[in-house]
Amino acid sequence: MTATDPALTALAQGWCALSLLHGKIESRIERSLQAGHGLSAREYSLLDVLSRQHSGPGGHLQMKQVADAVALSQSATTRLVTRLEDRGLLTRYLCDTDRRGIYTDVTEAGLTLLAEARPTNDSALRAALDEASDNPELAPLVRAVEELKVAV
């Protein structure tokens, strides 16, 4: 393949369209969550991921798993966890079976804020997708997102 290969150009254009859609969605969600709940999109995402943990074997995520789930580095995830812990939305404690392991749980205040913010997140996501579907370049991507059936 060369730099002028039409397939490469189409691939690059597809990536640009996907990046544009992601940016539009993230921007809309970020503004809505900040205005309504004082949360960033990353903070919301972290609370959401951690709220899905459960007691029992394999129920708690290690920090690397959390970082992967919110698409951040481990150090950035640790800083994010610390900010939310300082706000009383998360707690950290040592793993009973491995003293090197640290678990993070969402507090009652965090669960309450997450429940209040979820409709805002969902509404902003829907609005961003609806707006993007009016763009002929983004409409196929919007349909693909709407048709995804991903296990959480």
Side-chain angles (χ1 to χ4, degrees):
M1 285 201 307
T2 66
T4 58
D5 185 334
L8 182 60
T9 301
L11 184 61
Q13 289 172 339
W15 169 243
C16 285
L18 182 59
S19 182
L20 177 63
L21 178 61
H22 177 269
K24 287 180 175 291
I25 292 170
E26 190 170 52
S27 177
R28 174 70 68 101
I29 290 173
E30 183 77 27
R31 285 190 315 269
S32 296
L33 288 173
Q34 279 290 351
H37 308 283
L39 279 175
S40 71
R42 294 278 190 201
E43 291 168 338
Y44 174 87
S45 179
L46 180 65
L47 288 172
D48 185 52
V49 165
L50 292 175
S51 74
R52 297 174 194 277
Q53 297 181 124
H54 59 84
S55 298
H60 278 85
L61 300 172
Q62 297 173 347
M63 197 55 73
K64 176 164 182 6
Q65 294 170 304
V66 174
D68 289 345
V70 295
L72 290 173
S73 68
Q74 281 187 261
S75 60
T77 302
T78 299
R79 288 190 301 272
L80 184 59
V81 165
T82 299
R83 280 198 313 268
L84 293 178
E85 185 179 35
D86 290 347
R87 290 175 58 187
L89 303 175
L90 298 177
T91 58
R92 283 189 266 201
Y93 60 94
L94 292 175
C95 172
D96 290 338
T97 59
D98 180 0
R99 290 291 181 196
R100 295 170 297 170
I102 297 175
Y103 289 146
T104 305
D105 279 337
V106 181
T107 64
E108 286 302 317
L111 291 172
T112 298
L113 182 58
L114 179 62
E116 292 168 355
R118 185 166 276 123
T120 301
N121 181 78
D122 294 349
S123 176
L125 173 59
R126 181 74 265 158
L129 289 171
D130 289 346
E131 181 180 305
S133 68
D134 292 336
N135 181 329
E137 293 176 356
L138 300 180
L141 294 172
V142 171
R143 284 192 298 276
V145 168
E146 292 172 337
E147 293 170 4
L148 277 176
K149 305 290 187 242
V150 179
V152 177

